Amino acid sequence: MAKIAKDHVVALDYKLHLGDGKIIDQSEEGEPLLYLHGGGQIVPGLERQLEGLDAGHSGQFVVSPKEGYGEHDPRGVQVVPISSFPPGAEVKAGMEFLAEGPDGGAIPVNVKEVKGDRVVIDLNHPLAGKTLHFDITVRAVRKATAEELEHGHVHGEGGEHP
Ligand code: ZN
């Protein structure tokens, strides 16, 4: 039976919490997460710990911020004028906007606080600085097809694109 290794397609049931047991993300019942192992599609600390496991394995995996979404960078917390948001947009703490980054790509911007016409934003990933706790069951492991490796993603059972 295949073990989890580079260039394998892995199906996982997962639940994620931050140490308090409160689930913040999970795969749907009967719809495991599919990913291509070794391609950096999941956080590095989880990818490393899953290496070598068989289908059927269940376990809990703790991932440090360093091997998860990175440490929280205080330089990412900035104060900007409310006029830098789209006109008419309601700006409230806890909201997420997409801003255009220097390279033209979209960067998520989290609103931390609104103080009059000034807004405190955080450019860090919402899970930066957090220790991640995953409950995982490995549902299936198979070798990736040549086409999947060429494309860098998993195809459906009939070879179709996701
Ligand atoms: Zn493809």
Side-chain angles (χ1 to χ4, degrees):
M1 198 156 68
K3 290 184 186 302
I4 297 180
K6 186 166 167 45
D7 299 341
H8 281 63
V9 172
V10 182
L12 298 178
D13 285 337
Y14 76 95
K15 288 192 170 97
L16 170 61
H17 69 89
L18 301 178
D20 58 3
K22 205 177 123 204
I23 304 300
I24 59 165
D25 190 20
Q26 63 184 317
S27 52
E28 298 290 329
E29 182 78 41
E31 288 179 39
L33 169 78
L34 289 171
Y35 78 96
L36 187 57
H37 191 82
Q41 295 182 348
I42 60 173
V43 292
L46 184 59
E47 190 160 62
R48 183 175 58 73
Q49 292 182 68
L50 292 174
E51 184 92 24
L53 300 182
D54 292 312
H57 187 104
S58 286
Q60 296 191 321
F61 302 89
V62 177
V63 175
S64 67
K66 194 167 157 251
E67 284 196 299
Y69 291 96
E71 299 288 354
H72 187 269
D73 183 351
R75 286 171 305 179
V77 179
Q78 297 172 12
V79 180
V80 297
I82 202 160
S83 58
S84 55
F85 288 83
E90 194 191 7
V91 182
K92 280 203 289 201
M95 294 178 78
E96 186 178 288
F97 286 85
L98 287 176
E100 194 178 322
D103 60 357
I107 321 178
V109 172
N110 299 289
V111 176
K112 304 289 278 184
E113 202 183 341
V114 182
K115 299 179 192 167
D117 60 354
R118 295 160 78 77
V119 182
V120 183
I121 58 167
D122 191 348
L123 301 172
N124 287 282
H125 188 282
L127 293 176
K130 310 282 191 203
T131 298
L132 311 172
H133 297 249
F134 290 97
D135 287 343
I136 283 181
T137 301
V138 180
R139 288 295 172 200
V141 183
R142 65 166 169 84
K143 268 187 123 75
T145 64
E147 201 183 28
E148 285 172 325
L149 291 177
E150 195 186 313
H151 293 189
H153 56 226
V154 176
H155 289 178
E157 274 171 39
E160 76 275 18
H161 275 106

